[in-house]
Amino acid sequence: MGSPTLVWLRDDLRIGDNPALHKAVERGEPIVVVYVLEDDSRGLRPLGAASRWWLHQSLTALGDDLEKRGAALTLRTGDAVTVIPDLVDEIGAGAVYWNRRYGKAAREIDTAIKSGLHEQDIEAHSFQGSLMFEPWTIQTGSGTPFKVFTPFYRACLEQPEPRHPYPAPKQLDGLKPEPKSDDLGSWGLLPTKPDWASGLRDRWVPGEHEAHAALERFIGDDLAQYNDRDFPADDTTSHLSPYLRFGEISPFQVWHRVRGDLSAPQRAQAAGFLREVVWREFNYTVLFANPDLATSNYRPEFDAFEWATPEPGEVEAWQQGKTGIPLVDAGMRELWSSGVMHNRVRMVTASFLIKNLLIDWRVGEQWFWDCLVDADEASNPGNWQWVAGSGADAAPYFRVFNPVLQADKFDKHGEYIRQWVPEYGTDDYPEPMVDLKASRAQALAAYADMRTKAGLK
Ligand SMILES: Cc1cc2nc3c(=O)[nH]c(=O)nc-3n(C[C@H](O)[C@H](O)[C@H](O)COP(=O)(O)OP(=O)(O)OC[C@H]3O[C@@H](n4cnc5c(N)ncnc54)[C@H](O)[C@@H]3O)c2cc1C
């Protein structure tokens, strides 16, 4: 027997279009597939509660799919810098393959492991699996990272077409006997008491199979109307975000499916949809150049912004959807119940916290991080900073969404609000916790003050 190949899966929990797995099959030796629960080791951001729920389901689905093809999923916990080399020793691996990740802590871990393996003459290779346009490949004419989406997007379109997806291997030569594996249940990823995940169970089926089913449903039912996606009650977006986050579907698969066989009305909207998919890639470019995106203002002048100290109960009212502003409350309740929120409403709820309550964007980012099943280390802080005005934006001005006007425009008949806030319009519904007009004026004054302090005017 030769030396087995270890395939280390991370944010790429799929069998199809998985370059690391594909190359491992090509290598022709028995395969071990491992997932390591790294938690907060070496500065990694610990997963939020909803993401942990998703991860449990996703690993279950992946384990079943691997099993059907002849390989097991080995689960290990701890610091990957020791766990991976230990497993290499244990199975006598001759090669370790993985798909790249882009956060700073993760890159440092991967680099340390790679150099340790190379010192022992063990092959270690990383592949491009999670982004079509890796951060260092798309740069401005002067060789710096793009700070604005539209020119970044144009530069992506000038690149050669992203590669075609690799087919899923039909059969895998899993190493026998299999290495011992943790019991997934022992990882405690699921809630115990209280069991807050019933809304997630009703709403989602994680896993690779369902990711492709969601894409097909979207293409069949909604792609042709993608331009009208801003109406939360219609719910006509793709719902692919958690599947992309956990890599149950790759952006290459999405890209080529949507560039493939479509009707004329679908084709007319395909570019608009793929543009959104590229926003995800842009956020990774921003994260790559700004590793502290979740904790530090992208625009340093915002360091001088005077955030309010929240009144007791204020943050909780926002989190629980009890602000007395119906569109904000509907969005926050949708988030808590289902682990997602419509994009338009994400902007409105974030703007309300930051602009009307003057609460630091990091407070909201952390809540979304904990509650979203698509919580993404680049897109969550990237979008929060965009709403705050402190982020990467073409025309950074201090936009304050008026949640009442937004509801008039995007939930004209109140269907979305009624779905999530059934008591709206009755005596049980609270009065608005702030005056929208006065708080908007206060926010604009705080913004002007910040600019003065930062010497911008
Ligand atoms: C405050 C705030 C926080 C957000 N946090 C996240 C997050 O943690 N994870 C996340 O994936 N998206 C986040 N978004 C972006 C966006 O709201 C979601 O990607 C979208 O709602 C997911 O639904 P969908 O898959 O049906 O989207 P679709 O409209 O069908 O879009 C297809 C895909 O494109 C990508 N995409 C679309 N819009 C954006 C965007 N603005 N930024 C980055 N990628 C985008 C997503 O991968 C999405 O799945 C956030 C937006 C805001 C305003």
Side-chain angles (χ1 to χ4, degrees):
M1 193 181 73
S3 56
T5 312
L6 181 61
V7 178
W8 178 22
L9 297 185
R10 298 96 66 85
D11 301 324
D12 48 0
L13 303 179
R14 62 178 181 274
I15 292 175
D17 193 38
N18 191 316
L21 186 61
H22 181 82
K23 297 291 179 188
V25 171
E26 277 186 358
R27 187 167 174 266
E29 300 292 346
I31 290 174
V32 169
V33 182
V34 65
Y35 182 87
V36 182
L37 183 67
E38 297 171 85
D39 266 333
D40 56 353
S41 54
R42 294 179 188 260
L44 289 172
R45 188 172 186 181
L47 292 179
S51 297
R52 289 169 75 84
W53 176 86
W54 189 285
L55 177 65
H56 182 105
Q57 318 296 329
S58 189
L59 291 173
T60 305
L62 179 68
D64 291 349
D65 289 345
L66 286 169
E67 200 89 55
K68 281 183 205 140
R69 288 170 166 83
L73 178 61
T74 299
L75 301 175
R76 295 282 166 100
T77 329
D79 178 359
V81 174
T82 52
V83 171
I84 293 294
D86 286 353
L87 184 55
V88 166
D89 274 357
E90 190 181 316
I91 63 173
V96 185
Y97 292 169
W98 63 73
N99 299 311
R100 282 191 279 280
R101 43 189 187 175
Y102 303 91
K104 184 164 180 266
R107 280 187 284 126
E108 285 172 357
I109 291 169
D110 296 356
T111 305
I113 294 173
K114 197 182 253 185
S115 53
L117 292 172
H118 283 165
E119 275 167 23
Q120 297 178 60
D121 279 336
I122 293 167
E123 200 194 325
H125 268 304
S126 64
F127 299 93
Q128 178 183 3
S130 304
L131 291 180
M132 297 179 287
F133 306 102
E134 292 188 302
W136 52 90
T137 63
I138 307 289
Q139 295 194 323
T140 63
S142 47
T144 54
F146 279 98
K147 295 181 169 179
V148 175
F149 174 73
T150 304
F152 171 85
Y153 175 60
R154 274 198 228 108
C156 292
L157 295 183
E158 282 162 14
Q159 297 287 311
E161 182 93 9
R163 64 162 173 74
H164 279 273
Y166 296 105
K170 290 197 169 62
Q171 202 61 40
L172 293 168
D173 177 16
L175 181 72
K176 303 283 176 321
E178 293 151 3
K180 68 175 171 25
S181 170
D182 289 0
D183 168 22
L184 181 58
S186 73
W187 281 5
L189 298 174
L190 299 178
T192 46
K193 279 181 190 159
D195 173 16
W196 44 260
S198 69
L200 303 190
R201 288 194 293 272
D202 290 349
R203 175 74 174 70
W204 296 104
V205 181
E208 183 170 2
H209 180 75
E210 192 55 29
H212 289 273
L215 177 58
E216 291 309 320
R217 270 197 305 275
F218 167 67
I219 291 173
D221 299 345
D222 295 318
L223 176 58
Q225 290 89 42
Y226 191 66
N227 267 352
D228 299 326
R229 66 183 173 281
D230 258 335
F231 302 89
D234 298 346
D235 199 19
T236 55
T237 60
S238 70
H239 307 120
L240 283 176
S241 52
Y243 300 105
L244 281 164
R245 152 67 188 89
F246 285 92
E248 294 163 14
I249 193 165
S250 81
F252 299 89
Q253 292 172 313
V254 175
W255 181 276
H256 284 285
R257 176 64 188 93
V258 173
R259 303 268 288 168
D261 193 16
L262 297 178
S263 68
Q266 289 166 343
R267 206 170 317 118
Q269 306 284 325
F273 172 68
L274 291 177
R275 193 174 188 278
E276 295 303 312
V277 174
V278 175
W279 262 104
R280 173 180 169 272
E281 313 247 340
F282 175 64
N283 283 321
Y284 273 95
T285 283
V286 175
L287 175 73
F288 190 77
N290 303 272
D292 299 329
L293 193 64
T295 49
S296 299
N297 291 306
Y298 175 89
R299 291 180 182 277
E301 66 265 29
F302 266 76
D303 293 350
F305 197 93
E306 297 237 351
W307 301 107
T309 306
E311 301 285 331
E314 226 177 17
V315 173
E316 291 75 10
W318 177 79
Q319 290 172 338
Q320 293 166 12
K322 293 181 180 165
T323 66
I325 306 290
L327 187 59
V328 172
D329 291 344
M332 297 308 294
R333 294 185 198 187
E334 180 186 21
L335 172 64
W336 175 255
S337 164
S338 70
V340 278
M341 192 196 298
H342 186 278
N343 181 58
R344 166 71 37 188
V345 192
R346 291 189 201 205
M347 293 193 279
V348 171
T349 54
S351 168
F352 180 77
L353 183 82
I354 299 166
K355 309 289 169 69
N356 296 100
L357 300 182
L358 280 187
I359 293 177
D360 193 326
W361 61 265
R362 283 160 276 233
V363 173
E365 196 276 340
Q366 181 58 43
W367 181 249
F368 272 36
W369 178 260
D370 209 29
C371 295
L372 283 170
V373 288
D374 65 19
D376 183 281
E377 63 174 333
S379 288
N380 197 43
N383 277 285
W384 269 92
Q385 293 225 42
W386 184 88
V387 176
S390 62
D393 196 348
Y397 65 95
F398 203 63
R399 60 175 89 64
V400 184
F401 287 86
N402 180 319
V404 174
L405 298 182
Q406 290 282 313
D408 288 348
K409 192 164 174 196
F410 297 111
D411 191 33
K412 212 179 192 158
H413 305 294
E415 288 161 89
Y416 177 73
I417 288 173
R418 272 198 305 280
Q419 180 186 353
W420 294 105
V421 192
E423 79 278 21
Y424 175 56
T426 72
D427 290 346
D428 294 335
Y429 190 63
E431 289 297 314
M433 64 189 285
V434 280
D435 179 281
L436 292 177
K437 208 171 153 194
S439 55
R440 176 177 191 276
Q442 216 176 350
L444 292 173
Y447 179 64
D449 188 38
M450 171 204 87
R451 289 181 61 84
T452 311
K453 280 195 197 127
L456 293 174
K457 67 172 183 196

